[in-house]
């Protein structure tokens, strides 16, 4: 049978209107055929695009956002003819956005940039996780003074530049005031203050280190041994009153 045709359109023709022409349609000798062209409207193809959930650490840059396009399987429609989409999803989150979740939205992955498709977009979720801060005690060697105090200040890593000055009050102590020999003591972080405006964005880990408290030298003075005649022993008579230097606490 004869059919009308649109020689200007095929499955790869972009969204547009194309004429439907006479094609092979003909009339028998009993008719004079007058053909009026029609119009083939090629509409946008609806596709479903879903952002892939992802995560990062507070203070880091956003990762590249990726997405999945539904397959063309008779139930859902997908990309055809080897097409790829133009544009990328986006988020309102920046490096200093607080810990929590933020939507991944359509961004530039829009119909304007993809003229043959109508994009149905499903948002994704960007999860922003706490950033670890490591606070490390500094090893110290000192002489016994009766306290657990340390003259050193712990160091830290992990605080981002935007939060400089918001980790304060760093201090450390010995685990014991006693002189326990070389590396026989432990120095641990005793205090730190993380500003409340950023405290929820960090997890603080403290690290202990070995330390040394040496015995304090004592000086004994004020006593003497009396002279005696040899008697084959080490016994001596002590005279005077002993004065013993004390640790300065």
């Amino acid at each position: 049978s004869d059919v009308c045709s649109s020689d200007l359109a095929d499955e790869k023709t972009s969204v547009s209107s194309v004429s439907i022409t006479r094609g092979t349609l003909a009339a028998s000798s009993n008719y004079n055929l007058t053909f009026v062209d029609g119009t083939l409207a090629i509409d946008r193809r609806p596709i479903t695009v879903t952002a892939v959930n992802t995560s990062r650490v507070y203070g880091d840059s956003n990762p590249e956002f990726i997405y999945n396009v539904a397959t063309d399987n008779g139930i859902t429609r997908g990309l055809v003819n080897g097409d790829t989409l133009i544009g990328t999803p986006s988020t309102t989150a920046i490096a200093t956005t607080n810990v929590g979740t933020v939507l991944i939205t359509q961004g530039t992955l829009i119909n304007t940039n993809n003229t043959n498709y109508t994009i149905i977009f499903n948002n994704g979720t960007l999860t922003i996780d706490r950033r670890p801060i490591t606070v490390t005690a500094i090893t110290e060697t000192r002489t016994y003074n009766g306290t657990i105090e340390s003259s050193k200040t712990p160091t830290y890593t992990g605080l981002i530049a935007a939060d400089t000055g918001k980790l304060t009050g760093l201090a450390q102590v010995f685990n014991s005031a006693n002189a326990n020999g070389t590396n026989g003591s432990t120095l641990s972080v005793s205090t730190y203050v993380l500003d409340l405006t950023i405290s929820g964005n960090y997890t603080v880990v403290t690290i202990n280190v070995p330390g040394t408290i040496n015995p304090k030298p004592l000086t004994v003075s004020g006593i003497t041994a009396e002279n005696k005649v040899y008697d084959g022993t080490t016994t001596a008579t002590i005279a005077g009153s002993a004065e013993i230097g004390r640790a300065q606490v």
Side-chain angles (χ1 to χ4, degrees):
S1 62
D2 294 331
V3 295
C4 302
S5 69
S6 178
D7 295 335
L8 300 178
D10 61 16
E11 70 277 5
K12 295 183 179 180
T13 301
S14 296
V15 168
S16 60
S17 294
V18 183
S19 293
I20 302 172
T21 59
R22 178 171 175 171
T24 59
L25 183 65
S28 69
S29 59
N30 294 324
Y31 297 92
N32 288 320
L33 178 64
T34 301
F35 188 85
V36 179
D37 288 353
T39 300
L40 172 65
I42 302 174
D43 297 325
R44 288 173 177 264
R45 186 178 187 84
I47 57 172
T48 300
V49 177
T50 302
V52 176
N53 296 336
T54 188
S55 64
R56 66 164 173 83
V57 172
Y58 169 77
D60 287 354
S61 300
N62 289 327
E64 179 182 357
F65 298 123
I66 61 176
Y67 55 86
N68 293 322
V69 180
T71 57
D72 195 54
N73 57 14
I75 299 175
T76 58
R77 289 178 173 175
L79 295 170
V80 293
N81 302 323
D83 289 346
T84 56
L85 296 178
I86 298 173
T88 56
S90 65
T91 182
T92 58
I94 59 176
T96 54
T97 298
N98 291 332
V99 164
T101 57
V102 185
L103 287 180
I104 301 170
T105 55
Q106 195 164 353
T108 58
L109 200 64
I110 55 177
N111 296 341
T112 304
N113 294 333
N114 299 276
T115 54
N116 289 329
Y117 295 93
T118 296
I119 298 173
I120 303 164
F121 191 84
N122 295 320
N123 292 334
T125 300
L126 170 66
T127 300
I128 302 173
D129 297 320
R130 288 174 178 260
R131 186 179 192 86
I133 295 178
T134 302
V135 182
T136 305
I138 301 298
T139 190
E140 180 180 3
T141 298
R142 67 163 171 80
T143 301
Y144 171 79
N145 65 7
T147 75
I148 60 172
E149 294 175 359
S150 169
S151 63
K152 304 292 186 180
T153 300
T155 60
Y156 62 86
T157 58
L159 195 72
I160 66 172
D163 294 334
T164 298
K166 294 184 178 181
L167 177 60
T168 58
L170 294 163
Q172 64 182 50
V173 293
F174 285 89
N175 65 319
S176 169
N178 296 327
N180 295 318
T182 301
N183 292 331
S185 299
T186 299
L187 285 155
S188 59
V189 177
S190 57
T191 59
Y192 61 84
V193 178
L194 192 58
D195 193 295
L196 287 176
T197 60
I198 63 167
S199 60
N201 295 326
Y202 292 94
T203 298
V204 180
V205 177
T206 60
I207 296 179
N208 299 338
V209 296
T212 301
I213 297 179
N214 291 320
K216 181 178 179 65
L218 296 180
T219 301
V220 179
S221 61
I223 59 173
T224 59
E226 295 181 354
N227 296 332
K228 70 171 186 175
V229 176
Y230 171 74
D231 60 6
T233 70
T234 58
T235 301
T237 300
I238 302 299
S241 177
E243 295 182 1
I244 300 177
R246 300 178 59 190
Q248 299 301 309
V249 179

